[in-house]
Amino acid sequence: MSIHSISHIIASPFGLALLYLGYNSLTIDNYPYSIWMVIPITVLVLLYLFKPQLDFWWHTKFPIKFDKELAQFLASKNPYYKSLEGEEKIKFEHRLNLYMEARDYKAIGANEQKDIPYDMKAMLASIPTQLTMHKEDYLIGDMDRIFLYKHPFPTPSKQFLHTVETHVEDGVFIFSLHEWQAATHEPKRFYNNIWYGYVDAFLKVFNDDTTAIEPYASFQNIEKIGKYTEEYILRILGLKAVDPLVVLCGLYFTHPDEMQSNTPQIYSKLKTFFS
Protein backbone atom coordinates (compact mmCIF):
# COMPACT_ATOMS: atom_id res chain seq x y z
CA MET A 1 0.00 0.00 0.00
CA SER A 2 1.35 3.44 -0.96
CA ILE A 3 1.68 5.98 1.83
CA HIS A 4 0.58 9.33 0.39
CA SER A 5 1.75 11.39 3.37
CA ILE A 6 4.40 10.07 5.73
CA SER A 7 4.02 13.24 7.80
CA HIS A 8 0.41 12.27 8.59
CA ILE A 9 1.53 8.80 9.67
CA ILE A 10 4.19 10.24 11.98
CA ALA A 11 1.78 12.86 13.33
CA SER A 12 -0.92 10.35 14.31
CA PRO A 13 0.63 8.95 17.55
CA PHE A 14 1.72 12.41 18.66
CA GLY A 15 -1.78 13.74 18.01
CA LEU A 16 -3.27 10.93 20.10
CA ALA A 17 -0.72 11.56 22.85
CA LEU A 18 -1.64 15.24 22.89
CA LEU A 19 -5.35 14.40 23.13
CA TYR A 20 -4.70 11.95 25.97
CA LEU A 21 -2.52 14.37 27.94
CA GLY A 22 -4.84 17.28 27.25
CA TYR A 23 -7.94 15.36 28.35
CA ASN A 24 -6.32 14.21 31.58
CA SER A 25 -5.01 17.70 32.29
CA LEU A 26 -8.54 19.08 32.04
CA THR A 27 -10.29 16.33 33.99
CA ILE A 28 -7.74 15.38 36.66
CA ASP A 29 -6.69 17.92 39.25
CA ASN A 30 -2.94 18.44 39.50
CA TYR A 31 -2.32 15.95 36.67
CA PRO A 32 1.46 15.30 37.00
CA TYR A 33 2.18 14.78 33.28
CA SER A 34 0.75 18.01 31.84
CA ILE A 35 4.25 19.34 31.19
CA TRP A 36 4.83 16.48 28.74
CA MET A 37 2.31 18.08 26.35
CA VAL A 38 5.15 20.26 25.09
CA ILE A 39 6.69 17.26 23.29
CA PRO A 40 3.76 16.33 21.01
CA ILE A 41 2.98 20.00 20.45
CA THR A 42 6.56 20.67 19.31
CA VAL A 43 6.63 17.62 17.04
CA LEU A 44 3.27 18.47 15.47
CA VAL A 45 4.33 22.06 14.81
CA LEU A 46 7.56 20.86 13.16
CA LEU A 47 5.64 18.35 11.05
CA TYR A 48 3.26 21.08 9.93
CA LEU A 49 6.12 23.40 8.97
CA PHE A 50 8.15 20.77 7.13
CA LYS A 51 5.34 18.61 5.74
CA PRO A 52 6.09 19.31 2.03
CA GLN A 53 9.81 18.55 2.43
CA LEU A 54 9.20 15.40 4.46
CA ASP A 55 6.56 14.00 2.12
CA PHE A 56 8.69 14.88 -0.91
CA TRP A 57 11.68 13.03 0.56
CA TRP A 58 9.51 10.00 1.31
CA HIS A 59 8.03 9.88 -2.18
CA THR A 60 11.47 10.04 -3.79
CA LYS A 61 12.28 6.84 -1.90
CA PHE A 62 8.84 5.23 -2.26
CA PRO A 63 7.09 6.58 -5.38
CA ILE A 64 3.31 6.91 -5.44
CA LYS A 65 1.55 4.85 -8.08
CA PHE A 66 0.31 7.20 -10.78
CA ASP A 67 -3.45 7.68 -10.71
CA LYS A 68 -5.12 5.85 -13.64
CA GLU A 69 -7.85 8.43 -14.10
CA LEU A 70 -5.28 11.22 -14.10
CA ALA A 71 -3.23 9.30 -16.67
CA GLN A 72 -6.27 9.04 -18.96
CA PHE A 73 -7.03 12.73 -18.46
CA LEU A 74 -3.45 13.80 -19.26
CA ALA A 75 -3.30 11.54 -22.30
CA SER A 76 -6.40 13.27 -23.67
CA LYS A 77 -4.97 16.77 -23.06
CA ASN A 78 -1.20 16.46 -23.40
CA PRO A 79 0.24 15.07 -26.67
CA TYR A 80 3.72 14.78 -25.16
CA TYR A 81 2.54 12.58 -22.29
CA LYS A 82 0.45 10.50 -24.69
CA SER A 83 3.57 9.84 -26.79
CA LEU A 84 5.66 8.54 -23.89
CA GLU A 85 6.29 4.84 -23.37
CA GLY A 86 8.23 2.57 -21.03
CA GLU A 87 10.83 4.07 -18.74
CA GLU A 88 10.33 7.61 -20.05
CA LYS A 89 6.64 7.46 -19.18
CA ILE A 90 7.39 6.13 -15.68
CA LYS A 91 10.00 8.86 -15.21
CA PHE A 92 7.54 11.56 -16.27
CA GLU A 93 4.79 10.26 -13.98
CA HIS A 94 7.14 9.96 -10.99
CA ARG A 95 8.48 13.47 -11.49
CA LEU A 96 5.02 14.91 -12.02
CA ASN A 97 3.83 13.43 -8.72
CA LEU A 98 6.87 14.83 -6.93
CA TYR A 99 6.54 18.26 -8.53
CA MET A 100 2.92 18.53 -7.42
CA GLU A 101 3.95 17.42 -3.93
CA ALA A 102 6.82 19.88 -3.66
CA ARG A 103 5.24 22.99 -5.16
CA ASP A 104 2.50 25.20 -3.75
CA TYR A 105 -0.22 26.27 -6.20
CA LYS A 106 -2.65 28.97 -5.07
CA ALA A 107 -5.57 30.53 -6.92
CA ILE A 108 -5.84 34.21 -6.03
CA GLY A 109 -9.31 35.62 -5.52
CA ALA A 110 -10.54 39.03 -4.42
CA ASN A 111 -9.78 38.48 -0.74
CA GLU A 112 -8.44 34.94 -0.44
CA GLN A 113 -6.14 32.24 -1.71
CA LYS A 114 -7.48 28.80 -2.58
CA ASP A 115 -6.06 25.45 -3.61
CA ILE A 116 -6.68 24.50 -7.22
CA PRO A 117 -8.29 21.29 -8.53
CA TYR A 118 -5.98 18.29 -8.76
CA ASP A 119 -6.41 17.82 -12.51
CA MET A 120 -5.59 21.48 -13.19
CA LYS A 121 -2.54 21.21 -10.95
CA ALA A 122 -1.38 18.18 -12.94
CA MET A 123 -1.85 19.99 -16.25
CA LEU A 124 0.16 22.96 -15.01
CA ALA A 125 2.86 20.76 -13.46
CA SER A 126 3.23 18.82 -16.70
CA ILE A 127 4.87 21.91 -18.25
CA PRO A 128 7.96 22.10 -15.97
CA THR A 129 8.07 18.30 -15.88
CA GLN A 130 8.36 18.10 -19.66
CA LEU A 131 10.78 21.03 -19.77
CA THR A 132 13.22 19.39 -17.32
CA MET A 133 13.10 15.74 -18.42
CA HIS A 134 16.81 15.95 -19.27
CA LYS A 135 17.75 17.65 -15.98
CA GLU A 136 18.53 16.19 -12.56
CA ASP A 137 16.88 19.22 -10.95
CA TYR A 138 13.34 18.86 -12.25
CA LEU A 139 12.04 21.28 -9.60
CA ILE A 140 13.89 24.22 -11.22
CA GLY A 141 15.78 25.32 -8.15
CA ASP A 142 13.75 27.00 -5.43
CA MET A 143 10.86 28.10 -7.66
CA ASP A 144 8.31 26.69 -5.25
CA ARG A 145 5.31 29.08 -5.23
CA ILE A 146 2.86 29.44 -8.11
CA PHE A 147 0.13 32.09 -7.87
CA LEU A 148 -2.73 31.94 -10.35
CA TYR A 149 -5.14 34.72 -11.31
CA LYS A 150 -8.21 34.16 -13.47
CA HIS A 151 -7.38 37.14 -15.67
CA PRO A 152 -4.47 39.55 -16.33
CA PHE A 153 -3.20 41.21 -13.18
CA PRO A 154 -1.06 44.14 -11.95
CA THR A 155 1.71 43.74 -9.35
CA PRO A 156 3.79 46.23 -7.33
CA SER A 157 6.74 45.83 -9.72
CA LYS A 158 4.57 45.94 -12.86
CA GLN A 159 1.60 48.20 -12.26
CA PHE A 160 -0.19 47.32 -15.47
CA LEU A 161 -2.16 44.28 -16.60
CA HIS A 162 0.01 41.34 -17.65
CA THR A 163 -0.27 37.55 -17.71
CA VAL A 164 3.09 36.22 -16.58
CA GLU A 165 5.71 37.21 -14.03
CA THR A 166 8.77 35.30 -12.84
CA HIS A 167 10.78 36.12 -9.71
CA VAL A 168 13.76 33.77 -9.48
CA GLU A 169 15.16 35.55 -6.41
CA ASP A 170 11.89 34.95 -4.51
CA GLY A 171 11.04 31.57 -6.04
CA VAL A 172 7.69 32.82 -7.38
CA PHE A 173 5.67 32.37 -10.56
CA ILE A 174 2.55 34.44 -11.22
CA PHE A 175 0.24 33.52 -14.11
CA SER A 176 -3.10 34.41 -15.63
CA LEU A 177 -5.17 31.28 -16.27
CA HIS A 178 -7.37 32.75 -19.00
CA GLU A 179 -4.58 32.89 -21.60
CA TRP A 180 -3.20 29.50 -20.60
CA GLN A 181 -6.61 27.84 -20.94
CA ALA A 182 -7.06 29.33 -24.42
CA ALA A 183 -3.64 27.98 -25.45
CA THR A 184 -4.46 24.59 -23.92
CA HIS A 185 -7.65 24.27 -25.98
CA GLU A 186 -6.13 25.65 -29.20
CA PRO A 187 -2.33 25.35 -28.83
CA LYS A 188 -1.55 26.23 -32.45
CA ARG A 189 -3.66 29.39 -32.38
CA PHE A 190 -2.94 30.96 -28.99
CA TYR A 191 0.46 31.63 -27.43
CA ASN A 192 1.04 29.89 -24.07
CA ASN A 193 1.98 32.39 -21.34
CA ILE A 194 2.84 29.69 -18.79
CA TRP A 195 5.42 28.11 -21.07
CA TYR A 196 7.01 31.55 -21.33
CA GLY A 197 7.27 31.86 -17.54
CA TYR A 198 8.75 28.41 -16.99
CA VAL A 199 11.27 28.69 -19.82
CA ASP A 200 12.30 32.12 -18.53
CA ALA A 201 12.95 30.63 -15.07
CA PHE A 202 14.69 27.59 -16.59
CA LEU A 203 17.22 29.73 -18.47
CA LYS A 204 17.86 31.97 -15.46
CA VAL A 205 18.14 29.20 -12.83
CA PHE A 206 20.34 26.80 -14.78
CA ASN A 207 22.27 29.46 -16.68
CA ASP A 208 23.25 26.95 -19.38
CA ASP A 209 25.43 28.04 -22.28
CA THR A 210 23.02 29.35 -24.92
CA THR A 211 25.58 30.65 -27.41
CA ALA A 212 24.69 27.94 -29.95
CA ILE A 213 21.02 28.91 -30.06
CA GLU A 214 21.11 32.66 -29.46
CA PRO A 215 21.74 33.55 -33.15
CA TYR A 216 18.38 31.98 -34.04
CA ALA A 217 16.39 33.89 -31.43
CA SER A 218 14.55 36.37 -33.64
CA PHE A 219 10.89 37.17 -34.10
CA GLN A 220 11.34 36.46 -37.80
CA ASN A 221 12.12 32.84 -36.96
CA ILE A 222 9.39 32.74 -34.31
CA GLU A 223 6.84 33.85 -36.89
CA LYS A 224 8.01 31.13 -39.28
CA ILE A 225 7.41 28.50 -36.61
CA GLY A 226 4.34 29.57 -34.66
CA LYS A 227 2.93 32.34 -36.87
CA TYR A 228 3.19 34.64 -33.82
CA THR A 229 4.28 38.22 -34.37
CA GLU A 230 6.15 40.19 -31.72
CA GLU A 231 3.14 42.47 -31.33
CA TYR A 232 0.84 39.52 -30.73
CA ILE A 233 3.08 37.96 -28.07
CA LEU A 234 3.48 41.32 -26.33
CA ARG A 235 -0.31 41.65 -26.29
CA ILE A 236 -0.83 38.13 -24.88
CA LEU A 237 1.82 38.51 -22.16
CA GLY A 238 1.01 42.15 -21.42
CA LEU A 239 4.71 42.94 -21.00
CA LYS A 240 6.67 45.91 -22.29
CA ALA A 241 9.30 43.63 -23.81
CA VAL A 242 9.83 39.88 -24.27
CA ASP A 243 12.94 37.79 -24.77
CA PRO A 244 12.83 36.06 -28.18
CA LEU A 245 15.15 33.33 -26.89
CA VAL A 246 12.57 32.38 -24.24
CA VAL A 247 9.83 32.33 -26.86
CA LEU A 248 11.92 30.26 -29.28
CA CYS A 249 12.81 27.67 -26.62
CA GLY A 250 9.16 27.36 -25.62
CA LEU A 251 8.12 26.73 -29.24
CA TYR A 252 10.45 23.74 -29.32
CA PHE A 253 8.04 22.09 -26.88
CA THR A 254 4.70 23.51 -28.01
CA HIS A 255 5.31 23.50 -31.80
CA PRO A 256 7.86 20.72 -32.44
CA ASP A 257 6.39 19.61 -35.78
CA GLU A 258 6.19 23.14 -37.14
CA MET A 259 9.74 23.89 -35.99
CA GLN A 260 11.11 20.69 -37.51
CA SER A 261 9.28 21.34 -40.79
CA ASN A 262 9.81 25.09 -41.18
CA THR A 263 13.18 25.62 -39.48
CA PRO A 264 14.94 22.22 -39.24
CA GLN A 265 18.30 23.73 -38.32
CA ILE A 266 16.80 25.54 -35.33
CA TYR A 267 15.01 22.35 -34.28
CA SER A 268 18.31 20.44 -34.42
CA LYS A 269 20.10 23.05 -32.32
CA LEU A 270 17.38 23.13 -29.69
CA LYS A 271 17.15 19.34 -29.62
CA THR A 272 20.85 19.25 -28.73
CA PHE A 273 20.39 21.99 -26.13
CA PHE A 274 17.51 20.20 -24.42
CA SER A 275 18.97 16.68 -24.57
Side-chain angles (χ1 to χ4, degrees):
M1 180 182 69
S2 297
I3 296 175
H4 287 266
S5 179
I6 190 62
S7 59
H8 289 169
I9 301 297
I10 297 172
S12 296
F14 290 97
L16 292 172
L18 182 60
L19 288 174
Y20 175 79
L21 292 169
Y23 176 78
N24 287 339
S25 297
L26 291 172
T27 57
I28 301 175
D29 292 336
N30 299 318
Y31 185 63
Y33 303 111
S34 298
I35 189 63
W36 292 102
M37 290 176 63
V38 70
I39 296 176
I41 289 173
T42 302
V43 172
L44 291 171
V45 168
L46 289 173
L47 287 172
Y48 175 79
L49 292 174
F50 295 101
K51 179 184 183 300
Q53 295 89 332
L54 182 59
D55 287 343
F56 176 79
W57 170 83
W58 178 261
H59 292 149
T60 59
K61 305 297 182 183
F62 304 97
I64 302 173
K65 188 175 181 180
F66 202 67
D67 184 84
K68 289 184 179 180
E69 291 185 4
L70 182 60
Q72 293 173 352
F73 172 77
L74 278 181
S76 70
K77 300 290 186 181
N78 188 320
Y80 173 75
Y81 173 71
K82 186 177 180 179
S83 72
L84 294 176
E85 296 178 349
E87 292 298 320
E88 283 293 289
K89 186 174 184 179
I90 294 171
K91 177 181 176 181
F92 181 92
E93 291 174 344
H94 177 51
R95 288 186 167 198
L96 183 67
N97 274 336
L98 290 171
Y99 191 92
M100 288 192 288
E101 181 73 48
R103 294 310 183 229
D104 187 28
Y105 287 85
K106 292 295 181 184
I108 308 300
N111 298 303
E112 59 182 344
Q113 298 182 13
K114 294 183 178 180
D115 293 330
I116 66 171
Y118 188 70
D119 55 351
M120 179 183 287
K121 184 186 290 189
M123 281 289 291
L124 290 164
S126 69
I127 293 174
T129 304
Q130 180 181 351
L131 177 61
T132 59
M133 281 289 280
H134 67 295
K135 288 285 191 182
E136 288 296 322
D137 175 13
Y138 49 89
L139 298 178
I140 313 182
D142 296 323
M143 303 294 296
D144 58 356
R145 289 176 293 160
I146 301 96
F147 297 109
L148 305 164
Y149 288 85
K150 287 184 178 180
H151 299 289
F153 52 87
T155 60
S157 62
K158 292 181 173 63
Q159 296 185 14
F160 50 86
L161 295 179
H162 53 292
T163 68
V164 57
E165 196 167 329
T166 305
H167 293 281
V168 172
E169 61 279 4
D170 298 322
V172 172
F173 293 106
I174 313 175
F175 298 117
S176 166
L177 288 174
H178 179 267
E179 288 69 24
W180 169 70
Q181 289 170 332
T184 299
H185 291 302
E186 296 185 74
K188 305 307 178 185
R189 180 182 175 189
F190 295 105
Y191 181 68
N192 194 311
N193 60 318
I194 292 186
W195 266 103
Y196 184 90
Y198 272 109
V199 173
D200 183 38
F202 178 98
L203 294 175
K204 290 174 179 175
V205 169
F206 295 119
N207 198 28
D208 294 331
D209 184 4
T210 58
T211 53
I213 57 176
E214 285 174 5
Y216 304 98
S218 70
F219 283 100
Q220 182 179 6
N221 286 328
I222 289 165
E223 196 168 352
K224 286 180 184 178
I225 298 162
K227 313 303 181 186
Y228 301 135
T229 64
E230 181 178 6
E231 292 74 19
Y232 168 77
I233 293 174
L234 285 168
R235 187 167 70 252
I236 289 293
L237 299 183
L239 301 175
K240 304 301 183 184
V242 293
D243 185 346
L245 181 62
V246 175
V247 178
L248 187 69
C249 288
L251 291 180
Y252 172 76
F253 296 95
T254 61
H255 292 65
D257 296 336
E258 292 83 353
M259 182 177 286
Q260 192 169 15
S261 175
N262 298 334
T263 56
Q265 186 177 10
I266 296 176
Y267 179 85
S268 177
K269 293 290 185 181
L270 286 169
K271 185 177 182 179
T272 299
F273 180 75
F274 284 109
S275 65

